[in-house]
Amino acid sequence: MKILSYLLVYRRFLLIVLTPLLLLPLPLIIKTKEAECAYTLFVVAIFWLTEALPLAVSALLPAFMFPLFGIMGSKQVASAYFKDFHLLLIGVICLATSIEKWNLHKRVALKMVMLVGVNPAWLMLGFMVSCAFLSMWLSNTSAAAMVMPIVEAVAQQIIRAEAEADELEMSCSNGSINPALELNENIGEHESPDWTEKEKPVNGYNNNVGSTVCTVEKENEKGNEQNPPPAEAQRKSRKDKYSGIFKVMCLCVAYSATIGGLTTITGTSTNLIFTEHFNSRYPGCQCINFGSWFILSIPIAVIILLLSWLWLQWLFLGFDLKNMFKCGKKKTAREEASSQVIQEEYKKLGPISYPETVTLVLFILMTLLWFTRDPGFIPGWSSLFPKYKSYITDSTAALVIGLLFFIIPAKTLPRTSNGENTVSGYIPLITWKEFQSCMPWEIAILVGGGFALADGCEVSKLSEWVASKLTPLGSLPLWLIILISCLIVTTVTEVASNPATITIFLPILSPLAEAIHVNPLFILIPATLCTSFAFLLPVANPANAIVFSYGHLTIMDMVKAGLGINIIGVAVVMLGIMTWIVPIFDLYTYPSWVPNTPSTNGTGL
């Protein structure tokens, strides 16, 4: 038993040591560049999937393994670790840093929720839409972390107001109002309300005898488990209802943060990794940009968001169409409480400040520059530079706007009582330290390691060998190949990080598409979207972990809800790739920008 305990404690260390040793026969027996590159790929992939080492540390392994195997020179490998993707990421993080610093995200989220109203179903949709909108421009983790405290405050207030209303209604149904029964206001931040009772003397009785006006018990006695009394049944019904409110509010934040990230290239790291991989492998194709990705993905995200809203509503709260679409009726206690909390939170923000206004203007300007750079149906602003049109990418616009955050002052010049401007210290909208604290350096290095692996596969001809072995899959129907790839990445991403999953599968799926003579976008786009569908477990992505930490959910709650949304997501992606996405990229035509791939390979691998 002691040996097993030691193995359990040092399992990560053993995995780090044994993985390279057990795979060592591959390059020693099959002495080809393909085998040596495959060895590096397997070692890095295992470390990524198991997270035996930090993801960024594992991503650095190709930097010394490729030079040692003679696959790529050290300078050549190093150049793969910093690409156009990183410049785009820097510009986006500058925007995200300013949004978070000046609380613009909170103002946007609260305003959106106020617009949809406080009916429970619409309130949930309001939180989902606001969180999804934020995650389009910020990281999914940041969006969930920003919205969740607001959701928690609203949910707690709903519970208190409804509890008071329910107790009042129960007392009235017994023929009298009992002021002795009160709600314990000391509700823990992450706990469902517990019911306590304050005893009052009743005429002719002593409190010590145990007589009270009303008793609400915490547990039934064993003998009454089969036939609980009406009061106990009502208490259990209320407890289930309050628990369902917390659960559905938490899950709607976690899932909408992930769904919103699908819509833009910068919304999630998987989209960024796909874009850089695709543009690097197929430089002759300039069809993937901010505008084209938004057009293909926004219908998918909207449909998944609405179906997820309906699914969560039905699963935890029941589906009452009559109550959802009621008009002109008086607000319930729950709705009044929700409205009060949201309005109070919005009032705390005060009038919109100068830094918020500047950040909002720069955000709109960055979005417009992305959309209008090369929209496709009309000439974009990049056509103003005809000689260097291909030199300009989305990262160019992101960097131009991002640098302005370090230049524009955060405060206007204060005025004295005489109306004269006074000189004060110059502080920009964001500082370098604030930018550093928001910059996801681990993702930046992880993506760089993925690019290095992809370059190594090309140089060593491993990708050609993989393509030759995948050619028999061409006999399967195209929709089945796409469905299989979607299901595989959706399964793997539940236990591995999303960036690691997409980094592993892109170098495999690209040769697959080339081998079966199919437009690579037909397979890569749905696989990239499905990589974000990590809905089942708290450890599947950081947004899930954040909402799970509030203590309202169990693992089974997430599994039940996440399984349904996984099915919805894959079904909607399959619908999109076979319908409206086809004409956007002319997917049924095999493009000329795909390099010619040999059908066979004479290596000994």
Side-chain angles (χ1 to χ4, degrees):
M1 292 300 294
K2 186 174 289 188
I3 295 176
L4 289 176
S5 63
Y6 278 125
L7 290 175
L8 190 63
V9 170
Y10 290 98
R11 62 186 183 280
R12 291 178 60 188
F13 174 77
L14 292 173
L15 189 64
I16 295 168
V17 173
L18 293 178
T19 298
L21 292 178
L22 293 176
L23 294 174
L24 198 56
L26 180 61
L28 292 180
I29 297 175
I30 308 173
K31 298 180 180 180
T32 61
K33 294 301 177 187
E34 293 91 330
E36 292 166 351
C37 183
Y39 173 76
T40 305
L41 179 64
F42 287 148
V43 171
V44 175
I46 291 172
F47 285 170
W48 274 342
L49 293 174
T50 59
E51 295 190 35
L53 286 172
L55 294 176
V57 175
S58 301
L60 293 173
L61 295 180
F64 71 86
M65 294 180 74
F66 282 166
L68 289 178
F69 283 126
I71 297 173
M72 297 171 66
S74 184
K75 291 182 179 180
Q76 189 180 2
V77 179
S79 65
Y81 279 84
F82 197 91
K83 299 214 174 195
D84 185 62
F85 155 83
H86 296 86
L87 298 177
L88 178 61
L89 184 64
I90 288 172
V92 171
I93 296 302
C94 290
L95 171 65
T97 304
S98 185
I99 289 175
E100 293 182 34
K101 178 180 178 180
W102 301 111
N103 271 336
L104 181 60
H105 63 285
K106 194 171 184 179
R107 186 179 297 276
V108 171
L110 288 172
K111 195 65 178 177
M112 282 188 167
V113 173
M114 290 169 68
L115 288 174
V116 299
V118 293
N119 180 284
W122 299 114
L123 180 65
M124 187 173 77
L125 182 62
F127 278 124
M128 292 183 76
V129 171
S130 59
C131 189
F133 178 78
L134 290 175
S135 68
M136 290 167 64
W137 317 105
L138 311 177
S139 72
N140 301 349
T141 308
S142 297
M146 292 169 190
V147 177
M148 194 57 208
I150 304 172
V151 172
E152 176 72 13
V154 171
Q156 290 283 0
Q157 194 68 14
I158 289 173
I159 298 303
R160 289 172 180 169
E162 283 239 336
E164 292 171 355
D166 286 347
E167 285 304 310
L168 183 62
E169 182 180 352
M170 186 177 68
S171 298
C172 290
S173 66
N174 291 333
S176 63
I177 297 177
N178 176 22
L181 188 63
E182 299 179 3
L183 174 67
N184 182 12
E185 294 294 331
N186 298 322
I187 301 175
E189 185 181 2
H190 305 313
E191 295 178 353
S192 298
D194 290 328
W195 297 94
T196 58
E197 176 198 1
K198 294 184 178 179
E199 296 180 354
K200 283 183 63 178
V202 182
N203 292 336
Y205 294 91
N206 187 298
N207 278 351
N208 294 330
V209 178
S211 297
T212 56
V213 179
C214 179
T215 303
V216 181
E217 299 178 353
K218 293 296 290 181
E219 293 182 357
N220 287 327
E221 296 180 2
K222 291 184 178 180
N224 295 331
E225 282 183 353
Q226 299 297 327
N227 298 305
E232 173 64 17
Q234 290 180 5
R235 186 204 66 81
K236 188 177 185 301
S237 176
R238 289 197 304 271
K239 185 177 179 181
D240 291 341
K241 179 172 67 174
Y242 302 146
S243 177
I245 292 172
F246 275 118
K247 289 176 181 179
V248 78
M249 288 289 189
C250 290
L251 289 172
C252 79
V253 171
Y255 296 158
S256 59
T258 299
I259 295 167
L262 301 174
T263 54
T264 60
I265 287 178
T266 58
T268 183
S269 56
T270 55
N271 296 352
L272 283 167
I273 294 169
F274 158 74
T275 305
E276 184 61 34
H277 169 87
F278 185 83
N279 291 334
S280 299
R281 187 176 180 90
Y282 308 109
C285 176
Q286 298 297 322
C287 55
I288 295 295
N289 54 44
F290 193 91
S292 63
W293 184 269
F294 186 83
I295 292 170
L296 77 89
S297 61
I298 191 66
I300 292 175
V302 170
I303 294 172
I304 295 176
L305 192 73
L306 291 175
L307 292 178
S308 300
W309 169 58
L310 295 175
W311 165 250
L312 292 175
Q313 178 82 6
W314 175 81
L315 189 64
F316 291 102
L317 298 180
F319 198 66
D320 187 358
L321 284 174
K322 182 180 178 181
N323 193 41
M324 282 175 60
F325 294 98
K326 64 181 181 180
C327 298
K329 292 188 178 181
K330 187 178 179 180
K331 292 181 179 178
T332 64
R334 177 195 296 180
E335 293 167 355
E336 292 285 0
S338 304
S339 179
Q340 182 182 355
V341 170
I342 293 169
Q343 289 177 5
E344 287 177 357
E345 288 291 321
Y346 193 79
K347 286 178 182 178
K348 289 179 185 177
L349 297 175
I352 187 167
S353 63
Y354 163 76
E356 285 180 276
T357 304
V358 175
T359 300
L360 181 61
V361 170
L362 291 178
F363 161 69
I364 295 172
L365 184 58
M366 182 184 287
T367 306
L368 289 176
L369 288 175
W370 278 337
F371 275 113
T372 58
R373 178 179 67 84
D374 188 15
F377 55 92
I378 57 171
W381 60 264
S382 61
S383 61
L384 298 175
F385 310 92
K387 292 184 179 180
Y388 316 109
K389 185 177 179 181
S390 61
Y391 289 24
I392 300 170
T393 64
D394 287 332
S395 65
T396 309
L399 276 180
V400 169
I401 303 300
L403 292 177
L404 292 178
F405 287 101
F406 292 99
I407 299 172
I408 298 175
K411 295 181 181 179
T412 56
L413 293 175
R415 294 179 180 271
T416 62
S417 57
N418 298 329
E420 297 180 354
N421 293 332
T422 60
V423 179
S424 59
Y426 167 69
I427 302 174
L429 285 171
I430 61 173
T431 63
W432 180 253
K433 284 186 177 180
E434 290 165 344
F435 167 78
Q436 277 188 311
S437 65
C438 291
M439 180 67 184
W441 297 108
E442 183 182 43
I443 296 297
I445 297 174
L446 171 67
V447 174
F451 295 152
L453 282 175
D455 290 349
C457 291
E458 290 293 320
V459 173
S460 66
K461 308 294 183 184
L462 177 62
S463 59
E464 291 184 8
W465 181 87
V466 171
S468 67
K469 299 302 178 184
L470 294 176
T471 304
L473 291 177
S475 59
L476 295 175
L478 179 59
W479 67 268
L480 184 58
I481 296 174
I482 298 172
L483 179 60
I484 291 172
S485 62
C486 289
L487 293 177
I488 291 173
V489 297
T490 302
T491 303
V492 174
T493 199
E494 295 291 352
V495 294
S497 70
N498 297 356
T501 303
I502 194 66
T503 305
I504 291 169
F505 278 97
L506 283 177
I508 297 173
L509 296 176
S510 297
L512 168 61
E514 297 167 13
I516 62 178
H517 213 67
V518 168
N519 191 322
L521 291 172
F522 233 139
I523 296 177
L524 297 183
I525 288 176
T528 300
L529 292 171
C530 288
T531 305
S532 296
F533 296 161
F535 298 122
L536 284 182
L537 301 171
V539 297
N541 66 45
N544 292 4
I546 287 173
V547 300
F548 190 79
S549 67
Y550 277 74
H552 305 308
L553 297 167
T554 64
I555 298 290
M556 284 309 299
D557 290 332
M558 295 202 77
V559 170
K560 282 192 302 182
L563 185 61
I565 297 181
N566 268 347
I567 295 171
I568 291 170
V570 173
V572 173
V573 167
M574 288 297 298
L575 174 66
I577 199 63
M578 304 306 292
T579 53
W580 67 81
I581 300 178
V582 172
I584 296 176
F585 302 107
D586 193 16
L587 294 182
Y588 284 118
T589 302
Y590 191 70
S592 59
W593 40 260
V594 177
N596 293 324
T597 304
S599 58
T600 58
N601 190 298
T603 65
L605 186 64

